[in-house]
Amino acid sequence: MLLNELDALPTLWEVQGTVAAPVAAVAELLLAVTAGRVGDDNLLVLARASAARQGAMTVVGAGHTFRAELAGHVEPVEIQVEDSRLAVQSWYGGVHAVTACSTGTRVVHRVQRVLPEHPGFAPGVAELGMQTRMARDLQRVLAVIADRLGC
């Protein structure tokens, strides 16, 4: 299972942020994954990906294990949702987790695996921007959640 695989690996990068809302409300939005088109209400963590913005990313599966299929000759994205965590394996493998904190809900995104052969990842160069990119992407996700929850 994907979560077990990623848990066994060391964390390469980690970012976190908070939302002034209860864990259950944040988790309901962050961890929502169902069959259908990717968007702010389905697999939110990938809603801003290029393929999702173009309407070319669709989730298939049920239960706790899914995959996002992309138009063209791109490998599908593996997804697992369990408890308060969401794992995604595309060109990188990472986990989003929600926990309660004094200001509401803390969302942590860790990346444990990066496929070095991915064209968007050049060792040394891409690594410098990965933390910045992750922080920016997480802030976008948290802004959507905060807006939808009115906080």
Side-chain angles (χ1 to χ4, degrees):
M1 301 211 350
L2 182 58
L3 276 165
N4 291 339
E5 287 177 33
L6 295 175
D7 284 345
L9 298 172
T11 298
L12 300 173
W13 300 282
E14 177 182 313
V15 294
Q16 56 184 287
T18 59
V19 178
V23 171
V26 173
E28 184 177 337
L29 297 173
L30 183 73
L31 307 177
V33 181
T34 60
R37 193 169 154 211
V38 173
D40 285 352
D41 60 345
N42 189 25
L43 193 56
L44 173 60
V45 300
L46 293 183
R48 300 296 181 267
S50 176
R53 288 193 321 265
Q54 296 170 14
M57 186 183 295
T58 305
V59 175
V60 296
H64 298 286
T65 304
F66 303 88
R67 74 180 185 279
E69 296 182 342
L70 294 88
H73 300 290
V74 180
E75 291 295 318
V77 176
E78 188 178 349
I79 304 150
Q80 183 182 1
V81 180
E82 199 169 292
D83 300 322
S84 60
R85 301 187 314 149
L86 167 72
V88 173
Q89 176 66 58
S90 60
W91 65 273
Y92 73 91
V95 177
H96 284 79
V98 295
T99 56
C101 69
S102 62
T103 58
T105 301
R106 175 175 290 114
V107 178
V108 177
H109 180 206
R110 292 181 179 100
V111 168
Q112 289 93 340
R113 178 171 39 211
V114 176
L115 303 178
E117 67 275 6
H118 185 274
F121 184 78
V125 176
E127 291 172 10
L128 296 174
M130 189 67 170
Q131 188 93 15
T132 301
R133 177 182 175 167
M134 287 174 59
R136 180 202 64 211
D137 291 349
L138 181 61
Q139 288 308 310
R140 288 179 180 167
V141 166
L142 297 181
V144 170
I145 292 171
D147 181 61
R148 293 200 47 208
L149 296 176
C151 56

